[in-house]
Amino acid sequence: DLKKEIDDLGTKISQSTDEVKASLQPKLAELDDEYDKLKAKLDSAEDATEDTWDNIKQGGQAVVRRFEKSVR
């Protein structure tokens, strides 16, 4: 799942050089925050309307794009 991939990425970053850590840890924190926001949206989706689902879908796609960008 996406959270596991974020956590795995965090583990790899923590085992990297100080330079890599300094560069990537802020990005990882931002990614983790975006994941939390998306999860909150998904948790509130029990009574979702079509518009709510569209918002969740867009948010999820944005998180995935940022994730993909951060691991390159």
Side-chain angles (χ1 to χ4, degrees):
D1 92 322
L2 186 57
K3 181 63 175 166
K4 182 178 177 347
E5 290 185 46
I6 293 170
D7 291 343
D8 290 347
L9 182 59
T11 299
K12 289 178 184 177
I13 291 171
S14 70
Q15 296 170 348
S16 298
T17 64
D18 289 341
E19 184 179 335
V20 170
K21 287 179 195 176
S23 173
L24 295 180
Q25 282 179 329
K27 292 179 182 180
L28 181 65
E30 191 177 310
L31 184 62
D32 203 34
D33 185 52
E34 290 295 325
Y35 173 84
D36 290 341
K37 289 177 186 175
L38 177 61
K39 182 158 178 10
K41 283 184 180 182
L42 288 172
D43 289 345
S44 68
E46 290 180 16
D47 300 319
T49 64
E50 188 172 331
D51 288 339
T52 305
W53 277 112
D54 287 341
N55 288 337
I56 291 169
K57 182 179 172 184
Q58 290 173 1
Q61 290 170 340
V63 168
V64 169
R65 281 192 300 274
R66 281 189 286 280
F67 177 74
E68 289 172 341
K69 211 175 189 183
S70 71
V71 295
R72 288 186 188 155

